[in-house]
Amino acid sequence: MSAPRGGGRGRGRGRGRGRGDYYAPSDQSQNQPQQQTQPDQSAETSSTIDLLKGFLTRRYDASTKLLNFSTIATDEEVAKSGMFRQESTQKKFFPALMVICDQMLETREAKEAAIESVTLCGNNITNLNVVFDLCKSLNHIKNLDLSGNAFHSINALKPWKGRFRKLEHLIVDPFDSIGWEEELTAWFPKLKILNGACVRADKPAAAMVTDAPMTTTPQPMAGTPPTIPTSTPTPAFDQQKEEMITYVQTATNLRRDYAIQCLEAGGWDLNRAGELFTQSQPNLPPDAYN
């Protein structure tokens, strides 16, 4: 007796599926492109991570606890990558940079111990979209330089309003609007120095920014470092100058008369006074300090 007509077809199909005869060719064709592209993607990701780590390493000054993000587009390695060439890629560059920073400094304590100052000067950015993530990863910083950018009004900085709760020293190109200094000061509850001027008459900051990138002029001044004179009278000054004197003494441990001479030599500009102190420090006698 012959087998039922449906039986042969059923067994044939069943055996085919069991062996994978129908699906093996299509699986191979689908997997083949993945096997080719995955190594390329992995290599590209690794290259980007290495680029960002290298950039952070080059731009970090441990002696001043400064992250120097000035003129990013001119960095040779970044320029080669094209990652900061236009706004669309800039918006990806900085968040990725902050991710790598978070990986290198995993805890808040580690970040606070390593980084106190950030300069973003000279990047010609028009808004904070490109660098907004700074306030997520490093919102503890005390000193911030935003000079040399293209912010058209104070509103361009509003996304960072209240974000840096410990910010004490801010540098930014002046705006045309009346009262912008008072408004900006109100955004940051601990801000004491704005563009070298004292804006709050409370306890002076514990740290003083003396590194050149944090000054209003990014390039260091040329010439021989001046030597601070050794002895002058120490007269009384108005309240603002007295606070600046205390600020310098706290930050440098200088005696009062030396702090006054440092400020006078810098035209009572804290940034310039900081530069002068840094330049003159090797020549100061031991009795210049408390």
Side-chain angles (χ1 to χ4, degrees):
M1 181 181 294
S2 61
R5 295 179 61 186
R9 288 196 298 270
R11 288 194 300 272
R13 290 178 181 175
R15 287 194 300 271
R17 290 192 185 96
R19 292 193 304 270
D21 295 340
Y22 295 112
Y23 297 102
S26 60
D27 283 348
Q28 290 174 358
S29 62
Q30 290 175 1
N31 290 336
Q32 189 171 1
Q34 293 178 2
Q35 293 172 356
Q36 292 175 348
T37 58
Q38 284 177 354
D40 293 339
Q41 292 173 351
S42 177
E44 183 179 353
T45 300
S46 178
S47 176
T48 300
I49 291 173
D50 290 343
L51 170 70
L52 297 174
K53 284 184 176 179
F55 178 79
L56 285 170
T57 301
R58 290 192 303 276
R59 295 303 190 97
Y60 176 62
D61 185 342
S63 64
T64 56
K65 298 185 178 182
L66 171 72
L67 264 182
N68 184 355
F69 292 152
S70 63
T71 57
I72 295 174
T74 64
D75 184 271
E76 184 176 354
E77 296 301 319
V78 174
K80 287 179 182 178
S81 72
M83 292 184 68
F84 212 76
R85 191 170 298 160
Q86 54 192 14
E87 187 173 351
S88 60
T89 54
Q90 290 172 359
K91 289 179 180 178
K92 298 176 182 178
F93 175 85
F94 210 83
L97 191 67
M98 291 296 96
V99 169
I100 299 301
C101 182
D102 290 343
Q103 292 174 356
M104 296 174 75
L105 299 170
E106 296 182 353
T107 66
R108 181 174 181 83
E109 291 75 16
K111 292 176 183 176
E112 290 180 348
I115 303 169
E116 291 186 354
S117 308
V118 172
T119 174
L120 286 162
C121 70
N123 285 300
N124 202 37
I125 55 178
T126 59
N127 56 62
L128 296 179
N129 292 344
V130 172
V131 296
F132 178 80
D133 282 29
L134 181 72
C135 73
K136 297 179 181 179
S137 296
L138 301 175
N139 60 3
H140 69 279
I141 58 173
K142 297 178 180 179
N143 311 293
L144 178 62
D145 185 351
L146 296 176
S147 62
N149 288 293
F151 304 121
H152 297 300
S153 73
I154 191 175
N155 290 331
L157 304 182
K158 191 164 283 188
W160 276 353
K161 179 179 179 180
R163 296 279 185 169
F164 295 97
R165 307 295 294 178
K166 297 183 178 182
L167 189 67
E168 298 177 355
H169 180 193
L170 175 63
I171 300 172
V172 63
D173 296 330
F175 298 105
D176 294 332
S177 57
I178 298 174
W180 69 268
E181 297 97 330
E182 291 78 6
E183 182 177 359
L184 199 57
T185 300
W187 291 359
F188 306 107
K190 292 192 175 181
L191 188 66
K192 296 176 176 65
I193 308 297
L194 176 60
N195 289 352
C198 182
V199 293
R200 275 200 177 91
D202 54 1
K203 186 177 179 180
M208 180 176 181
V209 178
T210 59
D211 195 85
M214 279 296 300
T215 64
T216 52
T217 304
Q219 298 298 324
M221 296 188 68
T224 304
T227 302
I228 300 175
T230 56
S231 62
T232 58
T234 57
F237 296 93
D238 60 38
Q239 182 180 355
Q240 181 174 345
K241 287 186 176 180
E242 287 291 344
E243 289 169 354
M244 294 173 76
I245 294 167
T246 305
Y247 183 100
V248 172
Q249 285 188 273
T250 303
T252 63
N253 201 35
L254 285 173
R255 284 171 31 197
R256 176 181 168 86
D257 54 339
Y258 279 86
I260 291 172
Q261 293 166 50
C262 186
L263 283 163
E264 288 178 338
W268 291 94
D269 181 292
L270 283 173
N271 293 316
R272 181 66 184 130
E275 285 184 350
L276 291 173
F277 170 72
T278 301
Q279 295 167 1
S280 303
Q281 191 173 11
N283 301 319
L284 292 175
D287 61 1
Y289 300 93
N290 291 316

